[in-house]
Amino acid sequence: MKIGVVFGEAGLLKKHDRFKLVKKVGEKGDLISRHNHPEALVVFTVVKGKVQVFLNDSETYVVEPGKVLHFDGDNYINAEFLEDGEVFVTLIHK
């Protein structure tokens, strides 16, 4: 019996009663439209490229490998890929 699972594809990777793990893949200029996740705490982890993230249209962050952005999902996010990239979004149920 296997203990671990390796995920590599884009999209919803894992749905659990306590969290969801999603992989987003984008090319330079691709957008993530404005939305929120009121049921969750969000961990936004860039593993490749750079992504500019806007929270509630009032805070801006450039997230790149080695940095993680955390915020309450009650807030709205939209983003733009500044370079071709890959992002893991972990939604932790409150």
Side-chain angles (χ1 to χ4, degrees):
M1 176 169 72
K2 288 185 175 185
I3 297 171
V5 177
V6 176
F7 300 107
E9 65 279 353
L12 178 63
L13 301 179
K14 177 71 177 172
K15 186 174 181 178
H16 188 276
D17 62 339
R18 292 179 293 216
F19 73 93
K20 289 182 190 174
L21 178 61
V22 178
K23 181 180 180 182
K24 301 262 186 198
V25 176
E27 296 178 356
K28 181 178 179 178
D30 284 351
L31 302 175
I32 298 172
S33 58
R34 190 175 191 271
H35 67 285
N36 71 342
H37 298 281
E39 77 289 352
L41 300 173
V42 181
V43 179
F44 189 94
T45 307
V46 175
V47 295
K48 179 181 176 187
K50 287 184 184 177
V51 180
Q52 186 170 26
V53 177
F54 304 92
L55 297 179
N56 289 339
D57 300 322
S58 63
E59 294 182 15
T60 304
Y61 300 90
V62 175
V63 188
E64 56 192 326
K67 296 182 180 178
V68 175
L69 176 62
H70 171 264
F71 58 96
D72 190 304
D74 285 338
N75 298 288
Y76 283 85
I77 178 176
N78 59 296
E80 179 181 355
F81 283 85
L82 300 177
E83 301 174 355
D84 294 355
E86 298 179 1
V87 177
F88 287 98
V89 181
T90 306
L91 304 170
I92 305 164
H93 294 294
K94 294 180 186 176

Coordinates of all heavy atoms in Angstrom, one line a residue:
M1 N 0.8 -1.2 0.0 CA 0.0 0.0 0.0 C 0.9 1.2 0.0 O 1.8 1.4 0.8 CB -0.9 0.0 1.2 CG -1.7 1.2 1.3 SD -3.0 1.2 2.6 CE -2.1 1.3 4.1
K2 N 0.6 2.2 -0.9 CA 1.3 3.5 -1.0 C 1.0 4.4 0.2 O -0.2 4.5 0.5 CB 1.1 4.2 -2.3 CG 1.7 3.5 -3.5 CD 1.4 4.3 -4.7 CE 2.2 3.8 -5.9 NZ 2.1 4.6 -7.0
I3 N 2.0 5.1 0.7 CA 1.7 6.1 1.7 C 1.6 7.5 1.1 O 0.7 8.3 1.5 CB 2.9 6.1 2.7 CG1 3.0 4.8 3.4 CG2 2.8 7.3 3.7 CD1 4.2 4.6 4.3
G4 N 2.4 7.8 0.1 CA 2.4 9.1 -0.5 C 1.7 9.2 -1.9 O 1.5 8.1 -2.5
V5 N 1.4 10.4 -2.3 CA 0.8 10.6 -3.6 C 1.5 11.9 -4.2 O 1.6 12.9 -3.5 CB -0.7 10.9 -3.5 CG1 -1.3 11.2 -4.9 CG2 -1.5 9.8 -2.9
V6 N 1.9 11.8 -5.4 CA 2.6 12.9 -6.1 C 1.6 13.5 -7.1 O 1.0 12.8 -7.9 CB 3.8 12.4 -6.9 CG1 4.4 13.6 -7.7 CG2 4.9 11.9 -5.9
F7 N 1.4 14.8 -7.0 CA 0.5 15.5 -7.9 C 1.3 16.4 -8.9 O 2.2 17.0 -8.4 CB -0.5 16.4 -7.1 CG -1.4 15.7 -6.1 CD1 -1.1 15.8 -4.8 CD2 -2.4 14.9 -6.5 CE1 -1.9 15.2 -3.8 CE2 -3.2 14.3 -5.6 CZ -3.0 14.4 -4.3
G8 N 0.9 16.4 -10.1 CA 1.7 17.2 -11.1 C 0.8 18.0 -12.0 O 1.2 19.1 -12.5
E9 N -0.4 17.6 -12.3 CA -1.3 18.2 -13.3 C -1.8 19.5 -12.7 O -1.8 19.8 -11.5 CB -2.4 17.3 -13.7 CG -3.4 16.9 -12.6 CD -2.9 15.8 -11.7 OE1 -1.9 15.2 -11.9 OE2 -3.6 15.6 -10.7
A10 N -2.4 20.4 -13.6 CA -3.1 21.6 -13.1 C -4.5 21.3 -12.8 O -5.1 20.3 -13.2 CB -3.0 22.6 -14.3
G11 N -5.1 22.2 -11.9 CA -6.5 22.0 -11.5 C -6.6 21.6 -10.1 O -5.6 21.7 -9.3
L12 N -7.8 21.1 -9.7 CA -8.0 20.7 -8.3 C -7.2 19.4 -8.1 O -7.5 18.4 -8.8 CB -9.5 20.4 -8.1 CG -9.9 19.9 -6.7 CD1 -9.5 20.9 -5.6 CD2 -11.4 19.6 -6.7
L13 N -6.2 19.4 -7.2 CA -5.4 18.2 -7.0 C -5.9 17.4 -5.9 O -5.8 16.2 -5.9 CB -4.0 18.7 -6.7 CG -3.3 19.5 -7.7 CD1 -1.9 19.9 -7.2 CD2 -3.2 18.8 -9.0
K14 N -6.4 18.0 -4.8 CA -6.9 17.2 -3.7 C -8.0 18.0 -3.0 O -7.9 19.2 -2.7 CB -5.7 17.1 -2.7 CG -6.1 16.4 -1.4 CD -6.3 14.9 -1.6 CE -6.6 14.2 -0.3 NZ -7.0 12.8 -0.4
K15 N -9.1 17.3 -2.8 CA -10.2 17.8 -2.0 C -10.4 17.0 -0.8 O -10.6 15.8 -0.9 CB -11.5 17.9 -2.9 CG -12.6 18.5 -2.2 CD -13.8 18.6 -3.1 CE -15.0 19.4 -2.4 NZ -16.1 19.5 -3.3
H16 N -10.4 17.6 0.4 CA -10.5 16.9 1.7 C -11.5 17.7 2.5 O -11.8 18.8 2.2 CB -9.1 16.9 2.3 CG -9.0 16.1 3.5 ND1 -9.4 16.6 4.8 CD2 -8.5 14.9 3.7 CE1 -9.1 15.6 5.7 NE2 -8.6 14.6 5.1
D17 N -12.0 17.1 3.5 CA -13.0 17.8 4.4 C -12.4 19.0 5.1 O -13.1 19.9 5.5 CB -13.7 16.9 5.3 CG -12.8 16.3 6.4 OD1 -11.5 16.2 6.1 OD2 -13.2 15.8 7.4
R18 N -11.1 19.1 5.2 CA -10.4 20.2 5.9 C -9.7 21.2 5.0 O -9.3 22.3 5.3 CB -9.5 19.7 6.9 CG -10.2 19.1 8.1 CD -9.3 18.6 9.1 NE -8.5 17.5 8.5 CZ -8.1 16.4 9.2 NH1 -8.3 16.3 10.5 NH2 -7.4 15.4 8.6
F19 N -9.4 20.8 3.7 CA -8.6 21.6 2.8 C -8.8 21.2 1.3 O -9.3 20.1 1.1 CB -7.1 21.6 3.1 CG -6.4 20.4 2.7 CD1 -5.8 20.2 1.5 CD2 -6.4 19.3 3.6 CE1 -5.2 19.1 1.1 CE2 -5.7 18.1 3.2 CZ -5.2 18.0 2.0
K20 N -8.5 22.2 0.4 CA -8.4 21.9 -1.0 C -7.1 22.4 -1.5 O -6.6 23.4 -1.0 CB -9.5 22.7 -1.8 CG -10.9 22.2 -1.6 CD -11.8 23.1 -2.5 CE -13.3 22.8 -2.1 NZ -14.2 23.7 -2.9
L21 N -6.5 21.6 -2.4 CA -5.2 22.0 -3.0 C -5.4 22.2 -4.5 O -5.9 21.2 -5.2 CB -4.2 21.0 -2.7 CG -2.8 21.2 -3.3 CD1 -2.2 22.5 -2.8 CD2 -1.9 20.1 -3.0
V22 N -5.1 23.3 -5.0 CA -5.3 23.6 -6.5 C -4.0 24.1 -7.1 O -3.3 24.9 -6.4 CB -6.4 24.8 -6.6 CG1 -6.6 25.1 -8.1 CG2 -7.7 24.4 -6.0
K23 N -3.7 23.6 -8.3 CA -2.5 24.1 -9.0 C -3.0 24.9 -10.2 O -3.8 24.5 -11.0 CB -1.7 22.9 -9.5 CG -0.5 23.4 -10.2 CD 0.3 22.1 -10.7 CE 1.6 22.5 -11.5 NZ 2.3 21.3 -11.9
K24 N -2.5 26.2 -10.3 CA -2.8 27.1 -11.4 C -1.5 27.2 -12.2 O -0.4 27.4 -11.7 CB -3.1 28.5 -10.9 CG -4.3 28.5 -10.0 CD -5.5 28.9 -10.8 CE -6.7 29.1 -9.9 NZ -8.0 29.0 -10.6
V25 N -1.6 27.1 -13.5 CA -0.5 27.3 -14.5 C -0.9 28.4 -15.4 O -2.0 28.5 -15.9 CB -0.3 26.0 -15.3 CG1 0.8 26.2 -16.3 CG2 0.1 24.8 -14.3
G26 N 0.0 29.4 -15.6 CA -0.3 30.5 -16.4 C 0.9 31.0 -17.3 O 2.0 30.7 -16.9
E27 N 0.6 31.6 -18.3 CA 1.6 32.3 -19.2 C 1.6 33.8 -18.8 O 0.7 34.3 -18.3 CB 1.3 32.1 -20.6 CG 1.3 30.6 -21.1 CD 1.0 30.5 -22.5 OE1 0.6 31.5 -23.2 OE2 1.1 29.3 -23.0
K28 N 2.7 34.4 -19.1 CA 2.9 35.9 -18.9 C 1.6 36.6 -19.4 O 1.2 36.4 -20.6 CB 4.1 36.4 -19.6 CG 4.4 37.9 -19.3 CD 5.6 38.3 -20.0 CE 5.8 39.8 -19.7 NZ 7.1 40.3 -20.3
G29 N 1.0 37.4 -18.6 CA -0.2 38.1 -19.0 C -1.5 37.5 -18.6 O -2.5 38.1 -18.6
D30 N -1.5 36.2 -18.3 CA -2.7 35.5 -17.9 C -3.2 36.1 -16.6 O -2.4 36.5 -15.7 CB -2.5 34.0 -17.7 CG -2.4 33.3 -19.0 OD1 -2.7 33.9 -20.1 OD2 -2.1 32.0 -19.0
L31 N -4.5 36.1 -16.5 CA -5.2 36.7 -15.3 C -6.0 35.7 -14.5 O -6.5 34.8 -15.1 CB -6.2 37.8 -15.8 CG -5.6 39.0 -16.6 CD1 -6.7 39.9 -17.0 CD2 -4.5 39.7 -15.8
I32 N -6.0 35.9 -13.2 CA -6.9 35.2 -12.3 C -7.9 36.2 -11.9 O -7.6 37.3 -11.3 CB -6.2 34.7 -11.1 CG1 -5.1 33.6 -11.5 CG2 -7.2 34.0 -10.1 CD1 -4.2 33.2 -10.3
S33 N -9.2 36.0 -12.3 CA -10.2 37.0 -12.1 C -10.6 37.2 -10.6 O -10.3 36.3 -9.8 CB -11.5 36.7 -12.9 OG -12.0 35.4 -12.5
R34 N -11.1 38.3 -10.3 CA -11.5 38.7 -8.9 C -12.5 37.8 -8.3 O -13.6 37.5 -8.9 CB -12.0 40.1 -8.9 CG -12.2 40.7 -7.5 CD -12.6 42.2 -7.6 NE -12.5 42.9 -6.4 CZ -13.5 43.0 -5.5 NH1 -14.6 42.4 -5.7 NH2 -13.3 43.6 -4.4
H35 N -12.2 37.2 -7.2 CA -13.0 36.3 -6.5 C -12.6 36.1 -5.0 O -11.6 36.7 -4.6 CB -13.0 34.9 -7.2 CG -11.7 34.2 -7.0 ND1 -10.6 34.5 -7.8 CD2 -11.3 33.2 -6.2 CE1 -9.6 33.8 -7.4 NE2 -10.0 32.9 -6.5
N36 N -13.4 35.4 -4.2 CA -13.0 35.2 -2.9 C -13.4 33.8 -2.5 O -14.0 33.0 -3.2 CB -13.5 36.2 -1.9 CG -15.0 36.1 -1.7 OD1 -15.7 35.5 -2.5 ND2 -15.5 36.7 -0.6
H37 N -12.9 33.4 -1.3 CA -13.1 32.0 -0.7 C -13.5 32.2 0.7 O -12.7 32.0 1.6 CB -11.9 31.1 -0.8 CG -11.5 30.9 -2.2 ND1 -12.1 29.9 -3.0 CD2 -10.5 31.4 -3.0 CE1 -11.5 29.9 -4.2 NE2 -10.5 30.8 -4.2
P38 N -14.7 32.7 1.0 CA -15.1 33.1 2.4 C -15.1 31.9 3.4 O -15.0 32.1 4.6 CB -16.5 33.6 2.3 CG -17.0 33.2 1.0 CD -15.8 33.0 0.1
E39 N -15.0 30.7 2.9 CA -15.0 29.5 3.8 C -13.6 29.1 4.2 O -13.4 28.2 5.0 CB -15.7 28.3 3.1 CG -14.8 27.6 2.0 CD -14.6 28.4 0.7 OE1 -15.2 29.5 0.5 OE2 -13.8 28.0 -0.1
A40 N -12.6 29.8 3.7 CA -11.2 29.3 3.9 C -10.2 30.4 4.3 O -10.4 31.6 4.1 CB -10.8 28.7 2.6
L41 N -9.1 29.9 4.8 CA -7.9 30.6 4.9 C -7.1 30.2 3.7 O -7.1 29.0 3.3 CB -7.1 30.3 6.2 CG -7.8 30.6 7.5 CD1 -7.1 30.0 8.7 CD2 -8.1 32.1 7.6
V42 N -6.4 31.2 3.1 CA -5.7 30.9 1.8 C -4.2 31.0 1.9 O -3.7 31.9 2.5 CB -6.2 31.9 0.7 CG1 -5.5 31.6 -0.6 CG2 -7.7 31.9 0.6
V43 N -3.5 30.0 1.4 CA -2.0 30.0 1.3 C -1.7 29.9 -0.2 O -2.1 29.0 -0.9 CB -1.4 28.8 2.0 CG1 0.1 28.8 1.9 CG2 -1.8 28.8 3.5
F44 N -1.1 31.0 -0.7 CA -0.8 31.2 -2.2 C 0.7 31.0 -2.4 O 1.4 31.9 -1.9 CB -1.3 32.6 -2.6 CG -1.3 32.9 -4.0 CD1 -2.4 32.7 -4.8 CD2 -0.2 33.4 -4.6 CE1 -2.4 33.0 -6.1 CE2 -0.2 33.8 -6.0 CZ -1.3 33.5 -6.7
T45 N 1.1 29.9 -3.0 CA 2.5 29.6 -3.1 C 2.9 29.5 -4.6 O 2.5 28.7 -5.3 CB 2.8 28.3 -2.4 OG1 2.3 28.3 -1.1 CG2 4.3 28.0 -2.4
V46 N 3.8 30.4 -5.0 CA 4.3 30.4 -6.3 C 5.6 29.5 -6.4 O 6.5 29.7 -5.6 CB 4.7 31.9 -6.8 CG1 5.4 31.8 -8.2 CG2 3.5 32.7 -6.8
V47 N 5.6 28.6 -7.3 CA 6.7 27.7 -7.4 C 7.5 27.9 -8.6 O 8.7 27.4 -8.8 CB 6.3 26.2 -7.3 CG1 5.7 25.9 -5.9 CG2 5.3 25.8 -8.4
K48 N 7.0 28.7 -9.6 CA 7.7 29.0 -10.8 C 7.1 30.4 -11.3 O 5.9 30.6 -11.3 CB 7.4 28.0 -11.9 CG 8.1 28.2 -13.2 CD 7.8 27.1 -14.2 CE 8.4 27.4 -15.5 NZ 7.9 26.5 -16.5
G49 N 8.0 31.3 -11.7 CA 7.6 32.6 -12.3 C 7.3 33.6 -11.2 O 7.7 33.5 -10.0
K50 N 6.6 34.7 -11.6 CA 6.2 35.8 -10.7 C 4.8 36.1 -11.0 O 4.3 36.1 -12.1 CB 7.0 37.0 -11.0 CG 8.5 37.0 -10.5 CD 9.1 38.3 -10.7 CE 10.6 38.3 -10.3 NZ 11.2 39.6 -10.6
V51 N 4.0 36.3 -9.9 CA 2.6 36.6 -10.0 C 2.3 37.9 -9.1 O 2.8 38.0 -8.0 CB 1.7 35.5 -9.5 CG1 0.3 35.8 -9.6 CG2 2.1 34.2 -10.2
Q52 N 1.7 38.9 -9.7 CA 1.3 40.0 -9.0 C -0.2 39.8 -8.5 O -1.1 39.5 -9.3 CB 1.3 41.3 -9.9 CG 1.0 42.6 -9.1 CD 1.3 43.8 -10.0 OE1 1.2 43.8 -11.2 NE2 1.6 44.9 -9.3
V53 N -0.3 39.9 -7.2 CA -1.6 39.6 -6.5 C -2.2 40.9 -5.9 O -1.5 41.7 -5.3 CB -1.4 38.6 -5.4 CG1 -2.7 38.3 -4.7 CG2 -0.8 37.3 -6.0
F54 N -3.5 41.1 -6.1 CA -4.2 42.2 -5.6 C -5.2 41.7 -4.6 O -6.0 40.8 -5.0 CB -4.9 43.0 -6.7 CG -4.0 43.4 -7.8 CD1 -3.8 42.6 -8.9 CD2 -3.3 44.6 -7.7 CE1 -2.9 43.0 -10.0 CE2 -2.5 45.1 -8.8 CZ -2.3 44.2 -9.9
L55 N -5.2 42.2 -3.4 CA -6.2 41.8 -2.4 C -7.1 43.0 -2.1 O -6.6 44.1 -1.8 CB -5.5 41.4 -1.1 CG -4.6 40.2 -1.2 CD1 -3.9 39.9 0.2 CD2 -5.4 39.0 -1.7
N56 N -8.4 42.8 -2.3 CA -9.4 43.8 -2.1 C -9.1 45.1 -2.9 O -9.6 46.2 -2.5 CB -9.6 44.2 -0.6 CG -10.2 43.1 0.2 OD1 -10.9 42.2 -0.4 ND2 -10.0 43.1 1.5
D57 N -8.4 45.0 -4.0 CA -8.1 46.1 -4.8 C -7.3 47.2 -4.0 O -7.3 48.4 -4.5 CB -9.3 46.7 -5.5 CG -10.0 45.7 -6.4 OD1 -9.3 44.9 -7.1 OD2 -11.3 45.7 -6.4
S58 N -6.8 46.9 -2.8 CA -6.1 47.9 -2.0 C -4.7 47.5 -1.6 O -3.9 48.4 -1.3 CB -6.9 48.2 -0.8 OG -7.0 47.1 0.0
E59 N -4.4 46.2 -1.7 CA -3.0 45.8 -1.4 C -2.5 45.0 -2.6 O -3.2 44.3 -3.2 CB -3.0 44.8 -0.2 CG -3.4 45.5 1.1 CD -3.3 44.6 2.3 OE1 -2.7 43.5 2.2 OE2 -3.8 44.9 3.4
T60 N -1.2 45.2 -2.9 CA -0.5 44.6 -4.0 C 0.7 43.8 -3.6 O 1.5 44.4 -2.8 CB -0.2 45.6 -5.1 OG1 -1.3 46.3 -5.5 CG2 0.4 44.9 -6.3
Y61 N 0.9 42.6 -4.0 CA 2.1 41.8 -3.7 C 2.6 41.2 -5.0 O 1.8 40.7 -5.8 CB 1.7 40.7 -2.7 CG 1.1 41.2 -1.4 CD1 -0.2 41.4 -1.3 CD2 2.0 41.5 -0.3 CE1 -0.8 41.9 -0.1 CE2 1.4 42.0 0.9 CZ 0.1 42.1 1.0 OH -0.4 42.6 2.2
V62 N 3.9 41.1 -5.1 CA 4.6 40.3 -6.1 C 5.1 39.1 -5.4 O 6.0 39.2 -4.5 CB 5.7 41.1 -6.8 CG1 6.4 40.2 -7.8 CG2 5.1 42.3 -7.6
V63 N 4.6 37.9 -5.8 CA 4.9 36.7 -5.2 C 5.8 35.9 -6.2 O 5.4 35.7 -7.3 CB 3.7 35.9 -4.7 CG1 4.1 34.7 -3.9 CG2 2.7 36.8 -3.9
E64 N 6.9 35.3 -5.7 CA 7.8 34.5 -6.5 C 8.3 33.3 -5.7 O 8.0 33.3 -4.5 CB 8.9 35.4 -7.0 CG 9.7 36.1 -5.9 CD 10.6 37.2 -6.4 OE1 11.2 37.0 -7.5 OE2 10.8 38.2 -5.7
P65 N 8.9 32.4 -6.3 CA 9.4 31.2 -5.6 C 10.2 31.7 -4.3 O 11.0 32.6 -4.4 CB 10.3 30.5 -6.6 CG 9.7 30.9 -7.9 CD 9.3 32.3 -7.8
G66 N 10.0 31.0 -3.3 CA 10.6 31.3 -2.0 C 9.7 32.2 -1.1 O 10.1 32.4 0.0
K67 N 8.6 32.7 -1.7 CA 7.7 33.5 -0.9 C 6.3 32.9 -0.9 O 5.9 32.3 -1.9 CB 7.6 34.9 -1.5 CG 8.9 35.7 -1.4 CD 8.8 37.1 -2.0 CE 10.1 37.8 -1.9 NZ 10.0 39.2 -2.4
V68 N 5.6 33.1 0.2 CA 4.2 32.6 0.3 C 3.3 33.7 0.8 O 3.7 34.5 1.7 CB 4.2 31.4 1.3 CG1 2.8 30.9 1.6 CG2 5.1 30.3 0.9
L69 N 2.2 33.9 0.2 CA 1.2 34.9 0.6 C 0.1 34.2 1.3 O -0.5 33.2 0.8 CB 0.7 35.6 -0.6 CG -0.4 36.7 -0.4 CD1 0.1 37.8 0.5 CD2 -0.9 37.2 -1.7
H70 N -0.3 34.6 2.5 CA -1.4 34.1 3.3 C -2.4 35.2 3.6 O -2.0 36.3 3.8 CB -0.8 33.5 4.6 CG -1.9 33.1 5.6 ND1 -2.4 33.9 6.5 CD2 -2.6 32.0 5.6 CE1 -3.3 33.3 7.2 NE2 -3.5 32.1 6.7
F71 N -3.7 34.8 3.4 CA -4.7 35.8 3.7 C -6.0 35.1 4.0 O -6.2 33.9 3.7 CB -4.9 36.8 2.6 CG -5.2 36.2 1.3 CD1 -6.5 36.1 0.8 CD2 -4.2 35.7 0.4 CE1 -6.9 35.6 -0.4 CE2 -4.5 35.2 -0.8 CZ -5.9 35.1 -1.2
D72 N -6.9 35.8 4.7 CA -8.3 35.3 4.9 C -9.1 35.3 3.7 O -9.1 36.3 3.0 CB -8.9 36.1 6.0 CG -10.2 35.5 6.6 OD1 -11.1 35.2 5.7 OD2 -10.3 35.2 7.8
G73 N -9.7 34.2 3.3 CA -10.5 34.1 2.1 C -11.7 35.0 2.0 O -12.4 35.1 1.0
D74 N -12.1 35.7 3.1 CA -13.1 36.7 3.1 C -12.8 37.8 2.1 O -13.6 38.5 1.6 CB -13.4 37.3 4.5 CG -14.2 36.3 5.4 OD1 -14.8 35.4 4.9 OD2 -14.1 36.5 6.6
N75 N -11.5 38.0 2.0 CA -10.9 39.1 1.1 C -10.9 38.6 -0.3 O -10.9 37.5 -0.6 CB -9.5 39.5 1.6 CG -9.5 40.0 3.0 OD1 -9.9 41.1 3.2 ND2 -9.0 39.2 3.9
Y76 N -11.0 39.6 -1.2 CA -11.1 39.3 -2.7 C -9.7 39.3 -3.2 O -8.8 40.2 -2.9 CB -11.9 40.3 -3.4 CG -13.4 40.1 -3.2 CD1 -14.1 40.5 -2.1 CD2 -14.1 39.3 -4.1 CE1 -15.4 40.3 -1.9 CE2 -15.4 39.0 -3.9 CZ -16.1 39.5 -2.8 OH -17.4 39.2 -2.6
I77 N -9.4 38.4 -4.1 CA -8.1 38.3 -4.8 C -8.3 38.4 -6.3 O -9.3 37.8 -6.8 CB -7.4 37.0 -4.4 CG1 -6.1 36.8 -5.2 CG2 -8.3 35.8 -4.7 CD1 -5.2 35.6 -4.8
N78 N -7.4 39.0 -7.0 CA -7.2 38.8 -8.4 C -5.8 38.9 -8.7 O -5.0 39.4 -7.8 CB -8.1 39.9 -9.3 CG -7.7 41.3 -9.0 OD1 -8.0 41.8 -7.9 ND2 -7.2 42.0 -10.0
A79 N -5.3 38.4 -9.8 CA -3.9 38.3 -10.0 C -3.5 38.3 -11.5 O -4.4 38.0 -12.3 CB -3.3 37.0 -9.3
E80 N -2.2 38.6 -11.7 CA -1.7 38.6 -13.1 C -0.4 37.9 -13.1 O 0.5 38.2 -12.2 CB -1.5 40.0 -13.7 CG -0.9 40.0 -15.1 CD -0.7 41.4 -15.6 OE1 -1.1 42.3 -15.0 OE2 -0.2 41.4 -16.7
F81 N -0.2 36.9 -14.0 CA 1.1 36.3 -14.1 C 2.1 37.3 -14.8 O 1.8 37.7 -16.0 CB 1.0 35.0 -15.0 CG 0.4 33.8 -14.2 CD1 -0.9 33.7 -14.1 CD2 1.3 32.9 -13.6 CE1 -1.5 32.6 -13.4 CE2 0.7 31.8 -12.9 CZ -0.6 31.7 -12.8
L82 N 3.2 37.7 -14.1 CA 4.2 38.6 -14.7 C 5.2 37.8 -15.6 O 5.9 38.4 -16.4 CB 4.9 39.3 -13.6 CG 4.0 40.2 -12.7 CD1 4.8 40.8 -11.6 CD2 3.3 41.2 -13.5
E83 N 5.2 36.5 -15.3 CA 6.1 35.6 -16.1 C 5.3 34.3 -16.2 O 4.3 34.0 -15.5 CB 7.4 35.3 -15.4 CG 8.3 36.5 -15.1 CD 9.5 36.1 -14.2 OE1 9.6 35.0 -13.8 OE2 10.3 37.1 -14.0
D84 N 5.7 33.4 -17.1 CA 5.1 32.1 -17.2 C 5.3 31.5 -15.8 O 6.4 31.6 -15.2 CB 5.8 31.2 -18.2 CG 5.5 31.6 -19.6 OD1 4.8 32.6 -19.8 OD2 6.1 31.0 -20.6
G85 N 4.3 30.8 -15.2 CA 4.5 30.3 -13.9 C 3.5 29.2 -13.4 O 2.6 28.9 -14.2
E86 N 3.7 28.8 -12.2 CA 2.9 27.8 -11.6 C 2.7 28.2 -10.1 O 3.6 28.7 -9.5 CB 3.6 26.4 -11.6 CG 3.8 25.9 -13.0 CD 4.5 24.5 -13.0 OE1 4.8 24.0 -11.9 OE2 4.7 24.1 -14.1
V87 N 1.4 28.0 -9.7 CA 1.0 28.4 -8.3 C 0.3 27.3 -7.7 O -0.6 26.7 -8.3 CB 0.1 29.7 -8.4 CG1 -0.3 30.1 -7.0 CG2 0.8 30.8 -9.0
F88 N 0.5 27.0 -6.4 CA -0.3 26.1 -5.6 C -1.1 27.0 -4.7 O -0.5 27.8 -3.9 CB 0.6 25.1 -4.8 CG 1.2 24.1 -5.7 CD1 2.5 24.2 -6.1 CD2 0.4 23.0 -6.0 CE1 3.0 23.2 -6.9 CE2 1.0 22.0 -6.8 CZ 2.3 22.1 -7.3
V89 N -2.4 26.8 -4.7 CA -3.3 27.5 -3.8 C -3.9 26.5 -2.8 O -4.5 25.5 -3.2 CB -4.4 28.2 -4.5 CG1 -5.3 28.9 -3.5 CG2 -3.8 29.2 -5.6
T90 N -3.6 26.6 -1.5 CA -4.2 25.8 -0.5 C -5.3 26.5 0.2 O -5.1 27.6 0.7 CB -3.1 25.3 0.5 OG1 -2.0 24.8 -0.2 CG2 -3.7 24.3 1.5
L91 N -6.5 26.0 0.2 CA -7.7 26.5 0.9 C -7.9 25.7 2.1 O -8.3 24.5 2.0 CB -8.9 26.5 -0.1 CG -8.7 27.2 -1.4 CD1 -9.8 26.9 -2.3 CD2 -8.5 28.7 -1.2
I92 N -7.7 26.3 3.3 CA -7.9 25.6 4.5 C -9.2 26.0 5.1 O -9.4 27.2 5.4 CB -6.7 25.9 5.5 CG1 -5.4 25.6 4.8 CG2 -6.9 25.2 6.8 CD1 -4.2 26.2 5.5
H93 N -10.1 25.1 5.3 CA -11.4 25.4 5.9 C -11.3 26.0 7.3 O -10.6 25.5 8.1 CB -12.3 24.1 5.9 CG -12.6 23.6 4.5 ND1 -13.4 24.3 3.6 CD2 -12.3 22.5 3.9 CE1 -13.5 23.6 2.5 NE2 -12.8 22.5 2.7
K94 N -12.1 27.1 7.5 CA -12.1 27.7 8.8 C -12.8 26.9 9.8 O -13.6 26.1 9.5 CB -12.8 29.1 8.7 CG -12.1 30.1 7.8 CD -12.8 31.4 7.7 CE -12.3 32.3 6.7 NZ -13.0 33.6 6.6

